[in-house]
Amino acid sequence: MLPPGCTSVGILSPDASAQGPHQTEALLLRPSLLVDSNCCIDHEPAMIHNHLTFNVTHKHDWMLSTSLLASNGSQIMDLFSATSCCCCSGEQIQSQIKGLVLLDATIPQAWERVVQLSLGKRPGTPATLHIYFEIMGRYSNVVMAEPNGNILLCAYQVGSRMSSARQLQTGVTYQLPPQPQGIQPDLSESFDSWQQNITQAAQMLSEQTGQPALIDKGMVRAYQGVSPALSQEICALAAIFSQDPVDTPPHEWQELFKQWQNWLTRLQDGNFAPGVDQDTGRYSVLGSLPQISSVHGAMHDYHTQSEGSEQFKQLQQQLSTVLTRSLHKIRRKIANFEKQMGSTEESEAIQKQADMLTANIYRWQPGMTVLDVEDWDTGKSVTIPVETGKTVVEVAEGLYKQARKRRRAGDTIIPLLEVANADLAYLQEVEDAFDQVSEYREADDLETLRGIQWELVAGKYMRAPSDASLEDKGRAKGKKGSKRKAGEGSAALQGFRKYTSPAGLQVLVGRNNKQNDELTNRVAKAGDVWMHVRGCPGAHVLLRASVTNRDASKPDLQFAADLAAWHSKGRGEGKCPVIMASPTDIKKPKGAPPGKVLVTKEKTIMGRPDHSIAKQQEQQENR
């Protein structure tokens, strides 16, 4: 199984006939860069010993193209960054490899997981730099050295305190890892010799560890270049599982030997049968798993999924923080405005007190601190305090002034409160779209989050990412960019959630407000049916009935309404009212945020979230 989070893998295990460095070697590449028309490739890639192989003919007339090794060294830096801790900076790497081309790729030590890339100024000239990739699990390392072996850079510095056998530090002469223990596999080895080697190795390992003697562990111990995963797969192909070599019957040994030789024959002939288990991520070159047509494609899909999932999680966390903070801020602002509005509503009561004081001036005498007056609305007596040292006229004027001030504040706060409520409704729409994408299943899920990210950037709720293009930043600020025309082709419909109604009509669902705008204002045509759940945030849904030139049937309308209810905040309800409208009756107000529309003519249908095909698909995926 591929190492989790690994972004750069690749090594070719030498075949049994090799003596010393290989003549057909493996090139360690980033998976997205495996296909290169400027490289001389004569074989389909294969995977051996849990590592990706990239076979290239051993020639001196090919060079690494600019798509692989840019003059700034960006791709080689990607290889260095495959390790979790790097002791060398990008500037250092750039200064060493800038302008160089790849001259050769070799495995300097047979049956060992080390690849040597030789770089020089141009093809046919001596190498000026060597890069060694040691793919050894948690001991993996990347080393850059001069032709004389002097180490210039390395991903992990290994000093004498960490290893007494071999140091990897700047200024030290590079040495290959110690020769691995065991015998080199040989296709010509006899059955008896092979069986004896595995049996003795298993028994010796059992004596050392106190664990039971097992064939697969003995195979790893007895022979070089055999990983635990490979030995377990060979045993599985022979239907041998965790067996003691002494207790294994002869016919099972024969079958195991057959599978062993099959592996060596594939190595010798380069006749691999790559396959991938899509459920577990395991892969094989021995034909034990469902075969795939292209290793390039499989590796690209794997790493695209892996990297996409990681990017999705990071962006999801970032957007969650931004949305939580923004919603809390706007709700606090609304609460403050409503509190002030409450005080403005008291202006009428204050005005009434002032009126009652004015109407009862004749009853006031100097030195009085309260004045009892009649409330002409209720007929009851009301006591109004009069501040010491002031006349009742002065008190009334003060109350009039206070009432006027609160009314003016109310006139100012009302539009601000309306804007704040609109902002809250918009953020709730964004939050609903965000909640709809809870986990990474496909590339469109990541694009949905990126669309939400740019919405928040455009709304000034967050900053644009540092690696964004100038065009994207300009578009987020409202500047004019390249306009995209709506069309009927598949490119115009990319990104939307797509469903098929009972009558075969396409139903499109926007994933975020940007897509909602696209769907409603660009894709929708007269004859289609537009839907949106009433009274709460949700996605825009379009039933594309225009392609049939006839009205949509009731089952199709119900199908789309159920989808609209599911892709909304009302998905937890039993039923939700859903607005139906013709695209010709929908307008976007000038200056309105993404996803905001005005419906001039509508009908209502009840959507049932629990009956939605989207819910059924989600339940099947979670089984």
Side-chain angles (χ1 to χ4, degrees), residues 2 33 44-45 57 75 130 179-180 221 225 227 241 244 253 302 308 320 371 397 405 415 451 544 549 610 613 616 622:
L2 285 171
L33 303 170
E44 175 72 9
T57 305
Q75 298 303 338
H130 296 300
Q179 183 72 25
R221 182 65 176 266
S227 68
F241 304 97
D244 189 309
W253 272 108
Y302 174 85
S320 177
L371 183 64
E397 288 178 348
K405 182 177 180 181
R544 305 194 75 202
N549 295 320
D610 290 342
I613 186 65
Q616 297 174 20
N622 293 333

Side-chain angles (χ1 to χ4, degrees), residues 304-316 319 437 439-454 511-512 515:
T304 298
Q305 179 74 13
S306 177
E307 293 176 8
S309 178
E310 185 63 29
Q311 293 174 20
F312 179 89
K313 291 177 182 178
Q314 293 176 359
L315 185 55
Q316 185 183 46
L319 295 180
V437 194
E439 60 184 30
Y440 184 82
R441 291 189 176 94
E442 55 184 353
D444 283 341
D445 293 329
L446 178 58
E447 289 304 313
T448 299
L449 290 192
R450 285 173 175 162
I452 293 173
Q453 179 185 29
W454 282 110
R511 292 174 178 266
N512 52 44
Q515 287 193 5

Side-chain angles (χ1 to χ4, degrees), residues 80 96 129-130 132 134 141-158 166-176:
F80 272 82
Q96 294 293 337
L129 191 68
H130 296 300
Y132 298 90
E134 301 178 355
N141 211 336
V142 186
V143 180
M144 184 180 290
E146 295 176 324
N148 62 5
N150 180 52
I151 296 178
L152 300 174
L153 302 169
C154 58
Y156 285 102
Q157 299 276 351
V158 180
R166 187 176 69 124
Q167 285 77 52
L168 294 175
Q169 292 179 312
T170 302
V172 176
T173 301
Y174 176 75
Q175 297 178 345
L176 291 169

